Structures are given as structure tokens and as C-alpha cells.
């Protein structure tokens, strides 16, 4: 609209990058995610490059997005089918008897969920059931811990790693 164009031309108006990320939450209170090896197996079975290509955003391999001067983040496990299978074997989880992994996602992120489902089923042989929800129900399910795995997101309120770490 014309009003926004006029405001954008004011010298006080400025543009800035949005510092945020999407991340995967695994519920350690639920089987089979009580075992850290199972959580690591899914982490290694997640091809972040394919996800970044899918949503057309910049890659991030930690909870803190890159670009903060002087901050060095811990790196997430790298995509590796061999490492994923190795962690699954260490977890000693019988994938033929565990129920389907319920992946909770906002309806707007269905394509990301489909990609995760495809990778996890192909790499680990697990069954994944996608639970797409509208924002209010999604937020309530997250807060109540009613998920096996869920996509989460965070946007920093200020330009500092603490906006993501606190």
C-alpha cells in the first residue's frame, strides 16, 4: 500500500535481517526417545541440506543461527545414513514393534514434515505419522508434551546469541 511505501522512504526507517531458525524437538519423556542413541539416530538421518533447499532459507546447524561476531556454536550431528543406522543399533530398539513416530508440525510446514518422514523411513525403517495442526492446537500440544517429534521455531528478539540460548 501507498502508506507503507511512504513510511519506507523515511530516513528513520530501516531494514534488518530476521534472525531465526527451525529446529526438531524430540520428546525424551516418550519411548523410544528416552534413549539418546535413538535421538542421535534421527539427527543423523535428517538431511538439513535437502530441508534448506526445500524451504529456501539459509542453513543453520545449531540452535543459534550463524552471523553473530565472536560466537562459535556447537555443531549439530551431520547427515550420515551409516551413523544413523549405527546409533539405531546402539539404541537396541526393535523398529518392528515400536509404534509409529508421531511428527507434530504446523500445517504451514507440511512439505518439511513429508521430507523428514521420507528420510527417516528410508534410512531407519521406522514408520512416521505426520500430525499437522493449526497454530493454537499445535502450541497447546507442544506445551503439554503431546508429541514424539515436533518442528519448533524461534526468532531472536535482539541481535545476540542469548536471544536463542535463554
Amino acid at each position: 500500500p501507498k502508506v507503507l511505501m511512504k513510511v519506507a522512504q523515511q530516513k528513520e526507517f530501516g531494514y534488518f535481517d530476521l534472525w531465526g531458525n527451525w529446529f526438531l524437538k524430540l520428546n525424551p519423556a516418550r519411548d523410544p526417545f528416552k534413549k539418546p542413541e535413538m535421538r542421535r539416530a534421527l539427527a543423523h538421518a535428517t538431511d538439513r541440506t535437502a530441508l534448506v533447499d526445500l524451504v529456501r532459507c539459509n542453513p543453520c546447524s545449531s540452535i543459534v543461527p550463524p552471523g553473530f561476531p565472536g560466537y562459535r556454536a556447537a555443531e549439530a550431528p551431520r547427515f550420515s545414513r551409516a551413523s544413523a543406522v549405527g546409533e539405531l543399533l546402539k539404541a537396541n530398539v526393535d523398529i518392528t514393534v515400536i509404534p509409529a513416530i508421531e511428527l507434530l508440525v504446523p500445517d504451514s510446514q507440511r512439505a518439511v514434515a513429508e521430507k523428514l518422514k521420507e528420510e527417516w523411513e528410508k534410512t531407519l525403517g521406522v514408520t512416521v505419522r505426520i500430525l499437522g495442526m493449526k497454530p493454537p492446537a499445535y502450541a497447546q500440544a507442544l506445551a503439554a508434551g503431546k508429541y514424539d517429534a515436533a518442528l519448533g521455531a524461534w526468532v531472536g528478539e535482539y541481535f545476540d546469541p542469548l536471544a536463542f540460548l535463554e
Side-chain angles (χ1 to χ4, degrees), residues 12-57:
E12 295 86 12
F13 185 82
Y15 292 95
F16 60 92
D17 288 328
L18 180 65
W19 296 96
N21 60 26
W22 280 93
F23 52 89
L24 182 64
K25 296 176 65 153
L26 301 175
N27 191 342
R30 289 190 168 186
D31 282 323
F33 302 115
K34 289 179 180 176
K35 297 183 177 189
E37 298 88 358
M38 186 64 190
R39 297 191 301 268
R40 284 194 295 269
L42 283 180
H44 283 296
T46 302
D47 184 355
R48 288 169 187 78
T49 303
L51 294 174
V52 165
D53 291 345
L54 183 66
V55 296
R56 295 185 199 105
C57 63

Side-chain angles (χ1 to χ4, degrees), residues 10-113:
Q10 302 296 318
K11 67 179 180 176
E12 295 86 12
F13 185 82
Y15 292 95
F16 60 92
D17 288 328
L18 180 65
W19 296 96
N21 60 26
W22 280 93
F23 52 89
L24 182 64
K25 296 176 65 153
L26 301 175
N27 191 342
R30 289 190 168 186
D31 282 323
F33 302 115
K34 289 179 180 176
K35 297 183 177 189
E37 298 88 358
M38 186 64 190
R39 297 191 301 268
R40 284 194 295 269
L42 283 180
H44 283 296
T46 302
D47 184 355
R48 288 169 187 78
T49 303
L51 294 174
V52 165
D53 291 345
L54 183 66
V55 296
R56 295 185 199 105
C57 63
N58 294 323
C60 183
S61 60
S62 76
I63 197 72
V64 177
F68 292 99
Y71 181 78
R72 191 169 146 234
E75 293 276 322
R78 298 198 184 277
F79 174 63
S80 165
R81 286 195 170 94
S83 296
V85 171
E87 290 293 339
L88 183 64
L89 291 172
K90 286 183 204 171
N92 197 25
V93 172
D94 184 352
I95 60 169
T96 63
V97 296
I98 64 170
I101 295 170
E102 293 182 346
L103 176 57
L104 178 66
V105 297
D107 284 334
S108 63
Q109 296 301 315
R110 186 75 181 194
V112 172

